[in-house]
Each structure stands twice: as structure tokens, then as C-alpha cells.
């Protein structure tokens, strides 16, 4: 009887931990905390402006209790580079990698005003990195995550600012 009670308690605790982990994974930590405490969910903040400029940049502005946040999404021209690959027989070959990406940055961060003028240098840094890749480096979701992190790191380095927030990948094709 005592073993049944311990097993029941253990299953209940594991179930609660799984439920909490699922909430945090799906809503993010701030969203799950807002759900539990009754606060505002950051994802529920209303977007007050979304405008597209002639250059293709999209500006999104919203206000919250902490102040206005202005996010710019600026696309890059299509990047096509050669990457290394290994055939099924073990022979080394090259493949084409085609990438359509956009840089998301916060306009209110220090150094953000230089991002547009440094965009060609950011694109060049992206090309330098992409040419070093092999086909294996970009396989699966882990490869995509590493790719985005490395591109973001290079964008921040070239921009000399923490204003770049994210790299969005529209197309990633290997032929």
C-alpha cells in the first residue's frame, strides 16, 4: 500500500513538472509567468504601427509599460555560394547554397543608426561564413539554429552593436 502511494505521488509530481515545462516551452518563460501571476503577456502587446519602406524594410512599433519599441526588418539580397559536400561514394564535391534572409534590429538601441549603411559589410561577412560551411553543417533544425546564431553574431560584430536581434531565414536551398 505504501509503495502505491509513493508511486502515485511520484507520477503526480512528474506530471506537474511536464505540464509546467510544456507551458514554458510553448509560451516562453515570461508568457507562462504572466499566465500564472495574471500579468500582461508580452506577446499580447498590441502592435500600433507596421509600415513598409521603399527599400523593403518593414518597421514595427509598439508601446508597452516599459516604453516604445521600434523593430526594423531589413531583407538582404539573395545570397548564393558554393559549399562543400560529400557524395554517397565519399567523393568530395560542391553544392550551391541559396539563402534569402532578413535582419531584425531594434531601432532604439545604440548603434542601430549605422546598420543600414553597414548592411553591405554584413552581407559580405555572411558570405564569408557561408562559404566555409559543408552540407552537414546545415542539416536539421540544429544546423539551422547554429546557422542563425552565427549569422546574428556576425551581424552584431559588423554593426558594432547589440541592436541586431534576430536573423529570419525565408529560403535556404541546397542544390
Amino acid at each position: 500500500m505504501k509503495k502505491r502511494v509513493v508511486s502515485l505521488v511520484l507520477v503526480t509530481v512528474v506530471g506537474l513538472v511536464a505540464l509546467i515545462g510544456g507551458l514554458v516551452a510553448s509560451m516562453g518563460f515570461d508568457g507562462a509567468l504572466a499566465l500564472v501571476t495574471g500579468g500582461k503577456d508580452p506577446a499580447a502587446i498590441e502592435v500600433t504601427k507596421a509600415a513598409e519602406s521603399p527599400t523593403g524594410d518593414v518597421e514595427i512599433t509598439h508601446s508597452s509599460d516599459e516604453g516604445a519599441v521600434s523593430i526594423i526588418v531589413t531583407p538582404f539580397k539573395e545570397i548564393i555560394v558554393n559549399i562543400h559536400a560529400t557524395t554517397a561514394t565519399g567523393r568530395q564535391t560542391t553544392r550551391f547554397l541559396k539563402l534569402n534572409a532578413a535582419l531584425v534590429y531594434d531601432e532604439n538601441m545604440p548603434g542601430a543608426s549605422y546598420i543600414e549603411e553597414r548592411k553591405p559589410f554584413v552581407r559580405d561577412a555572411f558570405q564569408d561564413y557561408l562559404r566555409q560551411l559543408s552540407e552537414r553543417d546545415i542539416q536539421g533544425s540544429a544546423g539551422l539554429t547554429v546557422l542563425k546564431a552565427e549569422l546574428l553574431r556576425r551581424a552584431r560584430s559588423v554593426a558594432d552593436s547589440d541592436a541586431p536581434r534576430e536573423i529570419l531565414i525565408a529560403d535556404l536551398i541546397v542544390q
Side-chain angles (χ1 to χ4, degrees), residues 124-136:
D124 182 61
F126 285 4
Q127 285 183 342
D128 288 344
Y129 171 69
L130 292 171
R131 284 190 176 110
Q132 298 173 20
L133 294 178
S134 70
E135 194 174 31
R136 281 193 176 142

Side-chain angles (χ1 to χ4, degrees), residues 22-172:
L23 275 174
V24 171
S26 66
M27 298 178 71
F29 179 76
D30 292 334
L33 186 63
L35 179 68
V36 172
T37 62
K40 281 189 176 180
D41 181 3
I45 296 173
E46 188 173 318
V47 173
T48 56
K49 179 183 176 187
E52 188 169 340
S53 73
T55 61
D57 297 353
V58 176
E59 180 177 354
I60 302 170
T61 308
H62 66 79
S63 299
S64 67
D65 297 337
E66 296 140 8
V69 176
S70 183
I71 302 294
I72 306 291
V73 180
T74 181
F76 288 98
K77 292 180 187 175
E78 181 176 88
I79 298 173
I80 300 175
V81 296
N82 286 327
I83 61 170
H84 304 285
T86 306
T87 64
T89 60
R91 188 173 56 90
Q92 292 293 321
T93 185
T94 59
R95 301 221 188 267
F96 287 110
L97 179 134
K98 176 180 147 183
L99 177 72
N100 281 321
L103 176 66
V104 177
Y105 66 94
D106 185 351
E107 189 177 46
N108 297 329
M109 293 283 292
S113 59
Y114 301 114
I115 289 178
E116 284 301 322
E117 67 187 45
R118 292 183 181 171
K119 196 171 161 185
F121 300 102
V122 173
R123 187 175 192 275
D124 182 61
F126 285 4
Q127 285 183 342
D128 288 344
Y129 171 69
L130 292 171
R131 284 190 176 110
Q132 298 173 20
L133 294 178
S134 70
E135 194 174 31
R136 281 193 176 142
D137 293 333
I138 54 175
Q139 287 180 341
S141 59
L144 184 62
T145 302
V146 170
L147 175 70
K148 289 173 84 170
E150 285 295 323
L151 293 178
L152 180 60
R153 187 177 71 76
R154 282 164 173 72
R156 286 180 174 169
S157 176
V158 170
D160 197 26
S161 169
D162 284 337
R165 290 286 172 210
E166 189 173 354
I167 299 293
L168 302 177
I169 296 180
D171 296 317
L172 177 65

